[in-house]
Amino acid sequence: MSGHDHPHPHPHPHGDAGRWKHDGVRVIPGDRLDPNTAQTPGMDRKAAINFARVGAQKLWAGTVTIHADAKTGAHHHGHLESVIYVVRGRARMRWGEQLEFTAEAGPGDFIYVPPYVPHQEINASRTEALECVLCRSDGEAVAINLDIEPVEKPEQVLWIDPTHPGGGV
């Protein structure tokens, strides 16, 4: 079998040059993120990768800037997995049935939130904004708010990203 005779489970790039030019790799410049998303006082959210912008079928990615001292209520995201990358500032995560576990993350750190884990996000700094990149395993909006008394009381500012208008990162 020659190099061009094997079966392809994907489109062959040699015959689809025009299609690949427009439907291949996409670069979204940092200064062109979409601010036309659900916003919350104290936060600034911008979408980079989603279905509407690039046709993404299985993920959502964007930035979240959380003002100093913001806290969420307890929630989880159903079957979705989330990854948070801390660009600047200090994040404190609480999780567990009573939010009894805690960990902090700083610039360069990744935070993984598995499906169905009750959690709360906190900007650990009272003076510095927290800047993060957020990725989800699906663009579907799933946020289940939980009736757990948080150790650190949430304030009026919730971390709500554009794909989860019901509450929380």
Side-chain angles (χ1 to χ4, degrees), residues 91-120:
R92 181 179 309 118
M93 300 292 291
R94 289 192 168 275
W95 71 95
E97 294 300 319
Q98 298 299 317
L99 303 176
E100 64 269 31
F101 304 105
T102 186
E104 290 198 7
D109 293 340
F110 287 84
I111 301 166
Y112 171 66
V113 182
Y116 301 103
V117 172
H119 63 281
Q120 175 187 33

PDB file of all heavy atoms in Angstrom, residues 91-120:
ATOM      1  N   ALA A  91      -5.476  32.381  43.912  1.00  0.00           N
ATOM      2  CA  ALA A  91      -6.791  31.731  43.999  1.00  0.00           C
ATOM      3  C   ALA A  91      -6.815  30.786  45.192  1.00  0.00           C
ATOM      4  O   ALA A  91      -5.849  30.066  45.438  1.00  0.00           O
ATOM      5  CB  ALA A  91      -7.088  30.947  42.724  1.00  0.00           C
ATOM      6  N   ARG A  92      -7.918  30.790  45.924  1.00  0.00           N
ATOM      7  CA  ARG A  92      -8.141  29.803  46.988  1.00  0.00           C
ATOM      8  C   ARG A  92      -9.352  28.977  46.582  1.00  0.00           C
ATOM      9  O   ARG A  92     -10.397  29.530  46.247  1.00  0.00           O
ATOM     10  CB  ARG A  92      -8.391  30.473  48.334  1.00  0.00           C
ATOM     11  CG  ARG A  92      -8.596  29.450  49.474  1.00  0.00           C
ATOM     12  CD  ARG A  92      -8.829  30.078  50.836  1.00  0.00           C
ATOM     13  NE  ARG A  92      -7.828  31.064  51.157  1.00  0.00           N
ATOM     14  CZ  ARG A  92      -8.089  32.372  51.366  1.00  0.00           C
ATOM     15  NH1 ARG A  92      -9.316  32.836  51.306  1.00  0.00           N
ATOM     16  NH2 ARG A  92      -7.121  33.203  51.647  1.00  0.00           N
ATOM     17  N   MET A  93      -9.204  27.687  46.602  1.00  0.00           N
ATOM     18  CA  MET A  93     -10.306  26.782  46.291  1.00  0.00           C
ATOM     19  C   MET A  93     -10.718  26.057  47.565  1.00  0.00           C
ATOM     20  O   MET A  93      -9.862  25.617  48.333  1.00  0.00           O
ATOM     21  CB  MET A  93      -9.875  25.742  45.248  1.00  0.00           C
ATOM     22  CG  MET A  93      -9.429  26.316  43.922  1.00  0.00           C
ATOM     23  SD  MET A  93     -10.760  27.091  42.999  1.00  0.00           S
ATOM     24  CE  MET A  93     -11.749  25.654  42.548  1.00  0.00           C
ATOM     25  N   ARG A  94     -12.032  25.944  47.779  1.00  0.00           N
ATOM     26  CA  ARG A  94     -12.571  25.115  48.859  1.00  0.00           C
ATOM     27  C   ARG A  94     -13.448  24.064  48.191  1.00  0.00           C
ATOM     28  O   ARG A  94     -14.156  24.362  47.237  1.00  0.00           O
ATOM     29  CB  ARG A  94     -13.396  25.960  49.830  1.00  0.00           C
ATOM     30  CG  ARG A  94     -12.556  26.881  50.680  1.00  0.00           C
ATOM     31  CD  ARG A  94     -13.388  27.469  51.821  1.00  0.00           C
ATOM     32  NE  ARG A  94     -12.531  28.110  52.788  1.00  0.00           N
ATOM     33  CZ  ARG A  94     -11.920  27.474  53.793  1.00  0.00           C
ATOM     34  NH1 ARG A  94     -12.081  26.181  53.945  1.00  0.00           N
ATOM     35  NH2 ARG A  94     -11.157  28.134  54.623  1.00  0.00           N
ATOM     36  N   TRP A  95     -13.407  22.831  48.699  1.00  0.00           N
ATOM     37  CA  TRP A  95     -14.231  21.775  48.133  1.00  0.00           C
ATOM     38  C   TRP A  95     -14.543  20.727  49.189  1.00  0.00           C
ATOM     39  O   TRP A  95     -13.954  20.715  50.258  1.00  0.00           O
ATOM     40  CB  TRP A  95     -13.560  21.153  46.909  1.00  0.00           C
ATOM     41  CG  TRP A  95     -12.367  20.306  47.220  1.00  0.00           C
ATOM     42  CD1 TRP A  95     -12.362  18.950  47.389  1.00  0.00           C
ATOM     43  CD2 TRP A  95     -11.022  20.730  47.416  1.00  0.00           C
ATOM     44  NE1 TRP A  95     -11.093  18.508  47.678  1.00  0.00           N
ATOM     45  CE2 TRP A  95     -10.250  19.594  47.694  1.00  0.00           C
ATOM     46  CE3 TRP A  95     -10.383  21.977  47.387  1.00  0.00           C
ATOM     47  CZ2 TRP A  95      -8.886  19.644  47.936  1.00  0.00           C
ATOM     48  CZ3 TRP A  95      -9.016  22.033  47.625  1.00  0.00           C
ATOM     49  CH2 TRP A  95      -8.288  20.887  47.892  1.00  0.00           C
ATOM     50  N   GLY A  96     -15.506  19.867  48.872  1.00  0.00           N
ATOM     51  CA  GLY A  96     -15.927  18.800  49.773  1.00  0.00           C
ATOM     52  C   GLY A  96     -17.393  18.963  50.130  1.00  0.00           C
ATOM     53  O   GLY A  96     -18.020  19.961  49.784  1.00  0.00           O
ATOM     54  N   GLU A  97     -17.933  17.974  50.825  1.00  0.00           N
ATOM     55  CA  GLU A  97     -19.351  17.995  51.191  1.00  0.00           C
ATOM     56  C   GLU A  97     -19.702  19.230  52.014  1.00  0.00           C
ATOM     57  O   GLU A  97     -20.807  19.752  51.933  1.00  0.00           O
ATOM     58  CB  GLU A  97     -19.725  16.721  51.966  1.00  0.00           C
ATOM     59  CG  GLU A  97     -19.639  15.448  51.135  1.00  0.00           C
ATOM     60  CD  GLU A  97     -20.566  15.479  49.928  1.00  0.00           C
ATOM     61  OE1 GLU A  97     -21.711  15.954  50.041  1.00  0.00           O
ATOM     62  OE2 GLU A  97     -20.139  15.027  48.850  1.00  0.00           O
ATOM     63  N   GLN A  98     -18.751  19.703  52.832  1.00  0.00           N
ATOM     64  CA  GLN A  98     -18.963  20.908  53.636  1.00  0.00           C
ATOM     65  C   GLN A  98     -17.901  21.965  53.305  1.00  0.00           C
ATOM     66  O   GLN A  98     -17.611  22.824  54.131  1.00  0.00           O
ATOM     67  CB  GLN A  98     -18.910  20.561  55.130  1.00  0.00           C
ATOM     68  CG  GLN A  98     -19.996  19.592  55.562  1.00  0.00           C
ATOM     69  CD  GLN A  98     -21.387  20.157  55.333  1.00  0.00           C
ATOM     70  OE1 GLN A  98     -21.661  21.319  55.615  1.00  0.00           O
ATOM     71  NE2 GLN A  98     -22.278  19.331  54.785  1.00  0.00           N
ATOM     72  N   LEU A  99     -17.308  21.866  52.115  1.00  0.00           N
ATOM     73  CA  LEU A  99     -16.228  22.764  51.686  1.00  0.00           C
ATOM     74  C   LEU A  99     -15.091  22.757  52.703  1.00  0.00           C
ATOM     75  O   LEU A  99     -14.469  23.769  52.982  1.00  0.00           O
ATOM     76  CB  LEU A  99     -16.760  24.190  51.470  1.00  0.00           C
ATOM     77  CG  LEU A  99     -17.915  24.312  50.469  1.00  0.00           C
ATOM     78  CD1 LEU A  99     -18.413  25.736  50.408  1.00  0.00           C
ATOM     79  CD2 LEU A  99     -17.508  23.815  49.092  1.00  0.00           C
ATOM     80  N   GLU A 100     -14.819  21.560  53.240  1.00  0.00           N
ATOM     81  CA  GLU A 100     -13.854  21.431  54.330  1.00  0.00           C
ATOM     82  C   GLU A 100     -12.401  21.369  53.878  1.00  0.00           C
ATOM     83  O   GLU A 100     -11.484  21.510  54.685  1.00  0.00           O
ATOM     84  CB  GLU A 100     -14.184  20.197  55.185  1.00  0.00           C
ATOM     85  CG  GLU A 100     -14.069  18.863  54.468  1.00  0.00           C
ATOM     86  CD  GLU A 100     -15.356  18.380  53.793  1.00  0.00           C
ATOM     87  OE1 GLU A 100     -16.164  19.230  53.346  1.00  0.00           O
ATOM     88  OE2 GLU A 100     -15.553  17.163  53.688  1.00  0.00           O
ATOM     89  N   PHE A 101     -12.166  21.165  52.575  1.00  0.00           N
ATOM     90  CA  PHE A 101     -10.803  21.091  52.068  1.00  0.00           C
ATOM     91  C   PHE A 101     -10.445  22.404  51.383  1.00  0.00           C
ATOM     92  O   PHE A 101     -11.303  23.055  50.789  1.00  0.00           O
ATOM     93  CB  PHE A 101     -10.655  19.930  51.088  1.00  0.00           C
ATOM     94  CG  PHE A 101     -11.057  18.612  51.691  1.00  0.00           C
ATOM     95  CD1 PHE A 101     -12.263  18.023  51.350  1.00  0.00           C
ATOM     96  CD2 PHE A 101     -10.241  17.979  52.612  1.00  0.00           C
ATOM     97  CE1 PHE A 101     -12.649  16.821  51.911  1.00  0.00           C
ATOM     98  CE2 PHE A 101     -10.624  16.773  53.187  1.00  0.00           C
ATOM     99  CZ  PHE A 101     -11.827  16.192  52.829  1.00  0.00           C
ATOM    100  N   THR A 102      -9.163  22.776  51.456  1.00  0.00           N
ATOM    101  CA  THR A 102      -8.755  24.034  50.843  1.00  0.00           C
ATOM    102  C   THR A 102      -7.362  23.909  50.231  1.00  0.00           C
ATOM    103  O   THR A 102      -6.532  23.127  50.714  1.00  0.00           O
ATOM    104  CB  THR A 102      -8.802  25.195  51.862  1.00  0.00           C
ATOM    105  OG1 THR A 102      -8.529  26.418  51.203  1.00  0.00           O
ATOM    106  CG2 THR A 102      -7.798  24.996  52.990  1.00  0.00           C
ATOM    107  N   ALA A 103      -7.145  24.650  49.159  1.00  0.00           N
ATOM    108  CA  ALA A 103      -5.827  24.722  48.514  1.00  0.00           C
ATOM    109  C   ALA A 103      -5.734  26.074  47.836  1.00  0.00           C
ATOM    110  O   ALA A 103      -6.754  26.666  47.450  1.00  0.00           O
ATOM    111  CB  ALA A 103      -5.654  23.598  47.503  1.00  0.00           C
ATOM    112  N   GLU A 104      -4.514  26.577  47.701  1.00  0.00           N
ATOM    113  CA  GLU A 104      -4.296  27.850  47.010  1.00  0.00           C
ATOM    114  C   GLU A 104      -3.425  27.633  45.793  1.00  0.00           C
ATOM    115  O   GLU A 104      -2.630  26.685  45.739  1.00  0.00           O
ATOM    116  CB  GLU A 104      -3.677  28.883  47.961  1.00  0.00           C
ATOM    117  CG  GLU A 104      -4.653  29.334  49.013  1.00  0.00           C
ATOM    118  CD  GLU A 104      -4.253  30.644  49.685  1.00  0.00           C
ATOM    119  OE1 GLU A 104      -3.278  31.289  49.249  1.00  0.00           O
ATOM    120  OE2 GLU A 104      -4.948  31.016  50.645  1.00  0.00           O
ATOM    121  N   ALA A 105      -3.591  28.511  44.816  1.00  0.00           N
ATOM    122  CA  ALA A 105      -2.833  28.428  43.578  1.00  0.00           C
ATOM    123  C   ALA A 105      -2.404  29.826  43.173  1.00  0.00           C
ATOM    124  O   ALA A 105      -3.152  30.792  43.369  1.00  0.00           O
ATOM    125  CB  ALA A 105      -3.679  27.793  42.475  1.00  0.00           C
ATOM    126  N   GLY A 106      -1.224  29.921  42.605  1.00  0.00           N
ATOM    127  CA  GLY A 106      -0.704  31.210  42.158  1.00  0.00           C
ATOM    128  C   GLY A 106      -0.318  31.162  40.696  1.00  0.00           C
ATOM    129  O   GLY A 106      -0.590  30.173  39.989  1.00  0.00           O
ATOM    130  N   PRO A 107       0.313  32.211  40.194  1.00  0.00           N
ATOM    131  CA  PRO A 107       0.661  32.301  38.777  1.00  0.00           C
ATOM    132  C   PRO A 107       1.436  31.080  38.284  1.00  0.00           C
ATOM    133  O   PRO A 107       2.366  30.612  38.942  1.00  0.00           O
ATOM    134  CB  PRO A 107       1.527  33.561  38.722  1.00  0.00           C
ATOM    135  CG  PRO A 107       1.047  34.389  39.872  1.00  0.00           C
ATOM    136  CD  PRO A 107       0.719  33.388  40.951  1.00  0.00           C
ATOM    137  N   GLY A 108       0.985  30.536  37.160  1.00  0.00           N
ATOM    138  CA  GLY A 108       1.606  29.362  36.571  1.00  0.00           C
ATOM    139  C   GLY A 108       1.006  28.049  37.034  1.00  0.00           C
ATOM    140  O   GLY A 108       1.304  26.998  36.477  1.00  0.00           O
ATOM    141  N   ASP A 109       0.147  28.091  38.059  1.00  0.00           N
ATOM    142  CA  ASP A 109      -0.476  26.871  38.578  1.00  0.00           C
ATOM    143  C   ASP A 109      -1.754  26.543  37.808  1.00  0.00           C
ATOM    144  O   ASP A 109      -2.469  27.440  37.359  1.00  0.00           O
ATOM    145  CB  ASP A 109      -0.842  27.031  40.059  1.00  0.00           C
ATOM    146  CG  ASP A 109       0.375  27.145  40.961  1.00  0.00           C
ATOM    147  OD1 ASP A 109       1.482  26.738  40.531  1.00  0.00           O
ATOM    148  OD2 ASP A 109       0.214  27.632  42.086  1.00  0.00           O
ATOM    149  N   PHE A 110      -2.042  25.244  37.694  1.00  0.00           N
ATOM    150  CA  PHE A 110      -3.275  24.747  37.107  1.00  0.00           C
ATOM    151  C   PHE A 110      -4.153  24.198  38.227  1.00  0.00           C
ATOM    152  O   PHE A 110      -3.649  23.580  39.165  1.00  0.00           O
ATOM    153  CB  PHE A 110      -3.002  23.607  36.124  1.00  0.00           C
ATOM    154  CG  PHE A 110      -2.382  24.034  34.834  1.00  0.00           C
ATOM    155  CD1 PHE A 110      -1.012  24.207  34.722  1.00  0.00           C
ATOM    156  CD2 PHE A 110      -3.169  24.240  33.707  1.00  0.00           C
ATOM    157  CE1 PHE A 110      -0.437  24.585  33.524  1.00  0.00           C
ATOM    158  CE2 PHE A 110      -2.598  24.616  32.498  1.00  0.00           C
ATOM    159  CZ  PHE A 110      -1.236  24.790  32.406  1.00  0.00           C
ATOM    160  N   ILE A 111      -5.454  24.394  38.112  1.00  0.00           N
ATOM    161  CA  ILE A 111      -6.424  23.847  39.057  1.00  0.00           C
ATOM    162  C   ILE A 111      -7.359  22.947  38.251  1.00  0.00           C
ATOM    163  O   ILE A 111      -7.900  23.374  37.229  1.00  0.00           O
ATOM    164  CB  ILE A 111      -7.246  24.970  39.719  1.00  0.00           C
ATOM    165  CG1 ILE A 111      -6.329  25.938  40.471  1.00  0.00           C
ATOM    166  CG2 ILE A 111      -8.310  24.374  40.640  1.00  0.00           C
ATOM    167  CD1 ILE A 111      -7.019  27.240  40.850  1.00  0.00           C
ATOM    168  N   TYR A 112      -7.539  21.719  38.695  1.00  0.00           N
ATOM    169  CA  TYR A 112      -8.465  20.787  38.040  1.00  0.00           C
ATOM    170  C   TYR A 112      -9.674  20.580  38.946  1.00  0.00           C
ATOM    171  O   TYR A 112      -9.521  20.267  40.133  1.00  0.00           O
ATOM    172  CB  TYR A 112      -7.779  19.448  37.773  1.00  0.00           C
ATOM    173  CG  TYR A 112      -8.731  18.374  37.304  1.00  0.00           C
ATOM    174  CD1 TYR A 112      -9.381  18.487  36.068  1.00  0.00           C
ATOM    175  CD2 TYR A 112      -8.983  17.253  38.078  1.00  0.00           C
ATOM    176  CE1 TYR A 112     -10.262  17.503  35.642  1.00  0.00           C
ATOM    177  CE2 TYR A 112      -9.858  16.266  37.653  1.00  0.00           C
ATOM    178  CZ  TYR A 112     -10.485  16.397  36.438  1.00  0.00           C
ATOM    179  OH  TYR A 112     -11.356  15.427  36.012  1.00  0.00           O
ATOM    180  N   VAL A 113     -10.865  20.769  38.407  1.00  0.00           N
ATOM    181  CA  VAL A 113     -12.093  20.536  39.159  1.00  0.00           C
ATOM    182  C   VAL A 113     -12.838  19.391  38.471  1.00  0.00           C
ATOM    183  O   VAL A 113     -13.356  19.545  37.363  1.00  0.00           O
ATOM    184  CB  VAL A 113     -12.981  21.808  39.207  1.00  0.00           C
ATOM    185  CG1 VAL A 113     -14.228  21.543  40.044  1.00  0.00           C
ATOM    186  CG2 VAL A 113     -12.198  23.000  39.753  1.00  0.00           C
ATOM    187  N   PRO A 114     -12.891  18.204  39.119  1.00  0.00           N
ATOM    188  CA  PRO A 114     -13.576  17.057  38.529  1.00  0.00           C
ATOM    189  C   PRO A 114     -15.092  17.242  38.505  1.00  0.00           C
ATOM    190  O   PRO A 114     -15.634  18.116  39.184  1.00  0.00           O
ATOM    191  CB  PRO A 114     -13.207  15.898  39.470  1.00  0.00           C
ATOM    192  CG  PRO A 114     -12.056  16.376  40.279  1.00  0.00           C
ATOM    193  CD  PRO A 114     -12.215  17.866  40.372  1.00  0.00           C
ATOM    194  N   PRO A 115     -15.787  16.400  37.743  1.00  0.00           N
ATOM    195  CA  PRO A 115     -17.247  16.457  37.718  1.00  0.00           C
ATOM    196  C   PRO A 115     -17.852  16.251  39.109  1.00  0.00           C
ATOM    197  O   PRO A 115     -17.316  15.493  39.926  1.00  0.00           O
ATOM    198  CB  PRO A 115     -17.633  15.288  36.800  1.00  0.00           C
ATOM    199  CG  PRO A 115     -16.428  15.051  35.953  1.00  0.00           C
ATOM    200  CD  PRO A 115     -15.250  15.384  36.831  1.00  0.00           C
ATOM    201  N   TYR A 116     -18.950  16.945  39.358  1.00  0.00           N
ATOM    202  CA  TYR A 116     -19.791  16.783  40.547  1.00  0.00           C
ATOM    203  C   TYR A 116     -19.125  17.157  41.882  1.00  0.00           C
ATOM    204  O   TYR A 116     -19.699  16.896  42.929  1.00  0.00           O
ATOM    205  CB  TYR A 116     -20.344  15.346  40.638  1.00  0.00           C
ATOM    206  CG  TYR A 116     -21.163  14.970  39.430  1.00  0.00           C
ATOM    207  CD1 TYR A 116     -20.629  14.150  38.446  1.00  0.00           C
ATOM    208  CD2 TYR A 116     -22.460  15.460  39.270  1.00  0.00           C
ATOM    209  CE1 TYR A 116     -21.374  13.814  37.324  1.00  0.00           C
ATOM    210  CE2 TYR A 116     -23.209  15.127  38.148  1.00  0.00           C
ATOM    211  CZ  TYR A 116     -22.660  14.311  37.175  1.00  0.00           C
ATOM    212  OH  TYR A 116     -23.389  13.983  36.073  1.00  0.00           O
ATOM    213  N   VAL A 117     -17.944  17.756  41.870  1.00  0.00           N
ATOM    214  CA  VAL A 117     -17.284  18.112  43.130  1.00  0.00           C
ATOM    215  C   VAL A 117     -17.829  19.444  43.643  1.00  0.00           C
ATOM    216  O   VAL A 117     -17.695  20.468  42.971  1.00  0.00           O
ATOM    217  CB  VAL A 117     -15.751  18.209  42.953  1.00  0.00           C
ATOM    218  CG1 VAL A 117     -15.097  18.773  44.208  1.00  0.00           C
ATOM    219  CG2 VAL A 117     -15.176  16.850  42.612  1.00  0.00           C
ATOM    220  N   PRO A 118     -18.447  19.454  44.838  1.00  0.00           N
ATOM    221  CA  PRO A 118     -18.906  20.725  45.412  1.00  0.00           C
ATOM    222  C   PRO A 118     -17.686  21.604  45.690  1.00  0.00           C
ATOM    223  O   PRO A 118     -16.706  21.139  46.283  1.00  0.00           O
ATOM    224  CB  PRO A 118     -19.579  20.309  46.728  1.00  0.00           C
ATOM    225  CG  PRO A 118     -19.850  18.847  46.595  1.00  0.00           C
ATOM    226  CD  PRO A 118     -18.776  18.318  45.704  1.00  0.00           C
ATOM    227  N   HIS A 119     -17.737  22.871  45.246  1.00  0.00           N
ATOM    228  CA  HIS A 119     -16.590  23.748  45.439  1.00  0.00           C
ATOM    229  C   HIS A 119     -16.986  25.212  45.515  1.00  0.00           C
ATOM    230  O   HIS A 119     -18.116  25.583  45.210  1.00  0.00           O
ATOM    231  CB  HIS A 119     -15.540  23.525  44.344  1.00  0.00           C
ATOM    232  CG  HIS A 119     -16.017  23.849  42.963  1.00  0.00           C
ATOM    233  ND1 HIS A 119     -16.817  23.003  42.235  1.00  0.00           N
ATOM    234  CD2 HIS A 119     -15.802  24.929  42.174  1.00  0.00           C
ATOM    235  CE1 HIS A 119     -17.071  23.552  41.054  1.00  0.00           C
ATOM    236  NE2 HIS A 119     -16.472  24.732  40.994  1.00  0.00           N
ATOM    237  N   GLN A 120     -16.017  26.008  45.933  1.00  0.00           N
ATOM    238  CA  GLN A 120     -16.159  27.450  46.047  1.00  0.00           C
ATOM    239  C   GLN A 120     -14.822  28.050  45.633  1.00  0.00           C
ATOM    240  O   GLN A 120     -13.763  27.562  46.034  1.00  0.00           O
ATOM    241  CB  GLN A 120     -16.465  27.831  47.510  1.00  0.00           C
ATOM    242  CG  GLN A 120     -16.516  29.323  47.765  1.00  0.00           C
ATOM    243  CD  GLN A 120     -16.653  29.658  49.250  1.00  0.00           C
ATOM    244  OE1 GLN A 120     -16.150  28.950  50.112  1.00  0.00           O
ATOM    245  NE2 GLN A 120     -17.338  30.746  49.537  1.00  0.00           N
TER     246      GLN A 120
END
